[in-house]
Amino acid sequence: MVFNIGSQHEAINNVAGSQTTHGGQRVSFTDAAAIVSAGELARALRGLGLGESARDVDEIERELKQGTPDREHVASRLTHIAQTVTAIAGAGSAVHRPLVALAGWLGAPGSPVLHALGL
């Protein structure tokens, strides 16, 4: 049996046998992981010559480090960045993984970021 999954944006469970889930399944993405992803994204944007977008991500990283980021505000800025980079960088680019990771950390507010990336 072969399964071909184009992309996965939620938790992945490898289970030998049966699995029963009651009450939904949630994935936790820590603020520390979001900070790491923001740093990766800023470096990747600088590598593409997108200094203005990288500075926006630097501001997002500072907000994340303060401990109570405004997720809607972060989502808005990341959506704009995703729209910018989608025009010049493909899904395999260095900016894609940290953008997807940060969108996952945002939860529902991250949906526009994923949409801008074509996911």
Side-chain angles (χ1 to χ4, degrees):
M1 182 180 299
V2 175
F3 293 97
N4 293 310
I5 300 172
S7 62
Q8 179 75 34
H9 304 291
E10 300 294 332
I12 299 173
N13 295 329
N14 281 330
V15 178
S18 299
Q19 175 181 339
T20 303
T21 304
H22 297 278
Q25 181 172 317
R26 290 167 182 69
V27 178
S28 178
F29 189 73
T30 66
D31 289 349
I35 292 167
V36 169
S37 292
E40 289 176 17
L41 179 58
R43 284 188 297 281
L45 290 167
R46 284 187 178 87
L48 291 171
L50 297 172
E52 183 177 334
S53 292
R55 286 187 293 279
D56 285 344
V57 176
D58 289 339
E59 289 179 29
I60 290 170
E61 186 175 3
R62 281 190 291 279
E63 190 171 340
L64 292 170
K65 288 178 179 178
Q66 291 177 3
T68 54
D70 178 347
R71 288 179 188 251
E72 294 291 336
H73 189 241
V74 170
S76 174
R77 288 162 49 194
L78 286 176
T79 300
H80 177 71
I81 290 167
Q83 291 166 340
T84 300
V85 299
T86 299
I88 63 167
S93 75
V95 298
H96 191 263
R97 196 211 58 79
L99 274 170
V100 170
L102 286 165
W105 172 82
L106 287 166
S111 293
V113 177
L114 296 174
H115 181 73
L117 293 171
L119 302 175

